[in-house]
Amino acid sequence: MYRILITDDEKTERDCIRFLIQQTQLPLEIQEAEDGLSALHILKDWPADILFTDVQMPVMDGLELIHTALSLLPNLKPVIFSGYADFEYARTAIKLGVENYILKPVVPDELFKTLTSLIQQLDQEQNQKERLSIRQSFLLQHGLQQAISGTLDTFQADPYILEQIPAFQFMILLDFPGSFLENNYSSFYDTLRKDLFPGMESLNPAPGQALLFLRQSSDDLALLTRKLYRFIQNHFKTACYLAASFPLQQYSSLKEAFSALEQQMEQRFWVPDEPIFLPSHDPEPMPQPEQVDDNQQLGLIRQALSSVNPDKLQQSLDLLFAKYRLPANQSQIYVKFFFSSLLTTLYPYLPSQTPDGTPTPTLDELISSLYLQRNIENIIAQIQSCCDRIKETFAVTQTGVRKEVLMLEHYIAQNYGKDLSIEHLASVVYLTPDYLSRLFKKATGKSLSQYIRQFRMEKARELLLGSEKKVIQIGSEVGYPNYSYFCQSFREYFGNSPEKYRQENGQ
């Protein structure tokens, strides 16, 4: 629906034009003004797409109105209708950019033809704007992806990217359970832009994570994040964790800001009931863990196991639990690594069957389960459960083995279209997820997620350029069953949609 403003000092003329426009049944919303000055007041609050104006009017004539209106609305389409066919009027109108000049009395067919032509022009301009907006959004997302990874080349980057990045004021990192984001990401982002954050840009830095770039500033970051959290809960009926940055100008780069967000998000491991993590210049002193030596306690645990002493076993475990419940000077990676080592120590003493008579899970299965735990309390509960069973029976069994990085690379190459979560890969090569991550990063120079994403994207590019398969089929084959999510990831990696990339680079 477009807007048209009819301006004429004769009400009968305005009524006639309104009637004729309505008879065309064209998608036009109509308003009227009795002179040029009144028309300008309307245009300031109601920006029209088409200005239909007489020439001779009191207060301000039509030519002056057009001149002033175009300075206010450069894309306005003016149409003159007048009983004056004088050449000077026409010449002045042409100078002002008026392409349509209708003589009174208005002929309905001529009016319909003129308005139809103008609507077609407006449609074309709107389509061009939308295509440009989409292209600029793709460019910006690609640039932001490079910026948070520290690979943005400011000398070669598109000027639009360099112009837009400084406009962002905050970053917010969201982490969702399960496949919520993959199944809802289009509607999720569209809703946030519509209802909360106009002009927002977004990335998906990892499965289940959304990174929001906000243009608006905020004097109360806590209020802003609570509002966002409640909105997600009420509108999408899902839980999430949320970490917000300082104003981006306080960081040396977007890479530094993103790293800080990831560190903040790590706090959910120790305080799973707290969904929002804000930055702090002056954090409160963290409670310090007890001075408990891990190796010493592991030695005492081995003694307690070998001597069948349940009290000493529980005493050493309690000291370790108290220490690792505190986040100070500890990382989630090390905590999981340590407890996987503890689980390896306990495992030979587990009974061969569970209380319900089923076989005890293997060590690999138990370690995999441990690494799937999202917080320290769940890990402690798992270890305590093993301890309770050991204290009941003190039976013995053994297992455990380790594999190489080359084996993992081969597995990814053969299974890139399947589930490649860190927990699953760790179970394949019989390593703990965190230890595997460090091992893989040291050997390849890339994190597992980066390596998998790169492998899948390169395989997608190979299929796009070397086959005639549909894009949706290619996405599914390389591990992205959700078509929209695949296109989004491809754009972030290559800076263009799969279809556009195939058109521009195909033979």
Side-chain angles (χ1 to χ4, degrees):
M1 179 72 72
Y2 294 110
R3 295 174 171 181
I4 182 169
L5 177 61
I6 303 169
T7 307
D8 194 302
D9 58 326
E10 295 289 342
K11 187 177 186 308
T12 55
E13 292 286 353
R14 299 198 304 272
D15 291 343
C16 177
I17 296 300
R18 175 185 281 271
F19 173 77
L20 292 176
I21 292 174
Q22 290 172 338
Q23 289 297 107
T24 67
Q25 296 186 346
L26 293 171
L28 291 168
E29 181 182 351
I30 305 170
Q31 281 210 44
E32 302 176 18
E34 60 185 9
D35 56 56
L37 192 59
S38 300
L40 285 178
H41 287 308
I42 292 174
L43 291 174
K44 290 178 181 178
D45 298 324
W46 190 79
D49 302 291
I50 302 172
L51 174 62
F52 208 86
T53 181
D54 191 9
V55 174
Q56 291 290 334
M57 295 183 295
V59 185
M60 178 185 290
D61 65 31
L63 297 180
E64 185 179 356
L65 167 61
I66 291 172
H67 175 74
T68 308
L70 286 174
S71 64
L72 180 66
L73 301 170
N75 295 321
L76 182 68
K77 308 295 182 188
V79 179
I80 288 178
F81 71 105
S82 176
Y84 294 87
D86 185 82
F87 175 72
E88 287 300 322
Y89 284 118
R91 185 167 64 179
T92 303
I94 290 172
K95 290 181 179 179
L96 291 172
V98 180
E99 299 178 3
N100 299 280
Y101 196 112
I102 300 176
L103 292 177
K104 294 180 181 180
V106 176
V107 178
D109 287 344
E110 184 180 359
L111 176 64
F112 177 79
K113 181 180 178 181
T114 298
L115 292 178
T116 300
S117 176
L118 290 173
I119 288 174
Q120 290 175 348
Q121 292 179 39
L122 290 167
D123 285 342
Q124 291 174 357
E125 292 174 2
Q126 183 64 29
N127 289 335
Q128 290 174 354
K129 286 181 181 178
E130 290 176 357
R131 287 196 295 269
L132 177 61
S133 177
I134 292 172
R135 173 60 179 162
Q136 289 178 334
S137 180
F138 292 165
L139 276 174
L140 186 52
Q141 285 180 331
H142 184 57
L144 290 170
Q145 179 67 48
Q146 292 178 317
I148 66 170
S149 62
T151 60
L152 180 63
D153 186 342
T154 57
F155 293 101
Q156 297 185 7
D158 189 285
Y160 177 75
I161 295 175
L162 301 179
E163 175 188 335
Q164 292 298 312
I165 285 181
F168 294 110
Q169 303 295 316
F170 288 96
M171 288 199 307
I172 294 178
L173 181 61
L174 298 166
D175 190 277
F176 292 93
S179 58
F180 166 80
L181 193 60
E182 181 176 351
N183 295 332
N184 300 276
Y185 89 90
S186 292
S187 61
F188 174 71
Y189 291 134
D190 290 344
T191 302
L192 288 189
R193 290 188 184 95
K194 177 184 175 184
D195 295 342
L196 290 182
F197 307 129
M200 178 194 84
E201 283 296 341
S202 60
L203 294 176
N204 301 108
Q209 286 192 339
L211 181 60
L212 311 182
F213 297 82
L214 309 186
R215 297 178 188 272
Q216 57 264 61
S217 59
S218 175
D219 295 329
D220 192 336
L221 191 57
L223 179 63
L224 175 68
T225 50
R226 285 197 301 270
K227 180 180 178 181
L228 173 58
Y229 181 76
R230 286 195 298 268
F231 181 86
I232 292 172
Q233 275 192 317
N234 296 333
H235 199 89
F236 296 99
K237 310 303 180 186
T238 186
C240 70
Y241 288 98
L242 184 158
S245 73
F246 285 121
L248 294 179
Q249 64 189 21
Q250 297 186 24
Y251 300 93
S252 63
S253 66
L254 289 188
K255 180 181 180 181
E256 181 190 22
F258 181 61
S259 296
L261 278 180
E262 290 184 306
Q263 292 175 8
Q264 288 169 224
M265 188 64 80
E266 282 289 296
Q267 295 303 307
R268 65 187 175 175
F269 182 72
W270 283 277
V271 280
D273 295 332
E274 173 57 54
I276 299 174
F277 302 99
L278 301 179
S280 175
H281 284 299
D282 301 304
E284 296 181 3
M286 294 291 292
Q288 295 299 312
E290 293 187 40
Q291 296 301 312
V292 175
D293 183 87
D294 293 344
N295 291 329
Q296 180 184 13
Q297 293 306 315
L298 284 175
L300 292 174
I301 288 172
R302 293 188 187 98
Q303 292 178 15
L305 291 169
S306 61
S307 62
V308 193
N309 191 325
D311 292 335
K312 288 189 176 298
L313 172 62
Q314 188 64 59
Q315 182 181 10
S316 292
L317 286 175
D318 287 342
L319 289 173
L320 291 171
F321 293 161
K323 173 182 177 179
Y324 283 103
R325 278 191 169 100
L326 301 176
N329 302 318
Q330 302 180 87
S331 70
Q332 180 182 159
I333 292 175
Y334 178 75
V335 171
K336 289 185 175 180
F337 173 75
F338 172 76
F339 278 103
S340 68
S341 299
L342 175 56
L343 189 56
T344 301
T345 299
L346 296 173
Y347 189 81
Y349 296 87
L350 278 171
S352 60
Q353 291 185 332
T354 63
D356 61 7
T358 59
T360 293
T362 67
L363 176 61
D364 304 325
E365 291 171 337
L366 289 176
I367 290 177
S368 295
S369 175
L370 185 147
Y371 274 92
L372 287 172
Q373 305 302 334
R374 296 175 65 89
N375 61 72
I376 185 63
E377 292 302 327
N378 289 344
I379 290 177
I380 289 175
Q382 182 178 349
I383 297 295
Q384 184 62 57
S385 175
C386 292
C387 176
D388 291 341
R389 293 178 59 203
I390 290 171
K391 288 191 295 184
E392 290 175 358
T393 63
F394 278 87
V396 179
T397 186
Q398 291 182 328
T399 190
V401 70
R402 215 182 89 173
K403 300 294 183 182
E404 303 275 347
V405 169
L406 288 177
M407 176 184 174
L408 189 60
E409 291 179 335
H410 177 74
Y411 182 88
I412 291 170
Q414 297 299 315
N415 298 275
Y416 57 85
K418 301 178 182 178
D419 171 35
L420 294 179
S421 67
I422 177 64
E423 290 79 13
H424 174 70
L425 293 175
S427 70
V428 169
V429 295
Y430 303 96
L431 291 175
T432 64
D434 288 333
Y435 184 67
L436 171 62
S437 296
R438 294 199 303 276
L439 212 65
F440 193 91
K441 181 69 176 286
K442 184 177 181 180
T444 66
K446 300 184 181 74
S447 69
L448 260 173
S449 61
Q450 290 172 333
Y451 181 89
I452 294 169
R453 187 185 192 195
Q454 178 179 333
F455 192 98
R456 284 173 166 170
M457 289 296 104
E458 294 299 331
K459 180 60 69 172
R461 173 165 63 179
E462 176 184 325
L463 292 172
L464 278 170
L465 302 183
S467 75
E468 296 181 356
K469 293 180 179 180
K470 294 182 179 180
V471 172
I472 190 171
Q473 181 182 356
I474 292 173
S476 181
E477 287 185 9
V478 300
Y480 293 86
N482 184 290
Y483 172 75
S484 299
Y485 193 70
F486 168 61
C487 292
Q488 174 77 7
S489 298
F490 192 96
R491 280 195 298 267
E492 291 179 7
Y493 189 83
F494 288 108
N496 226 331
S497 69
E499 293 88 350
K500 191 71 172 177
Y501 191 92
R502 172 179 270 175
Q503 292 172 9
E504 293 180 353
N505 297 278
Q507 299 297 327

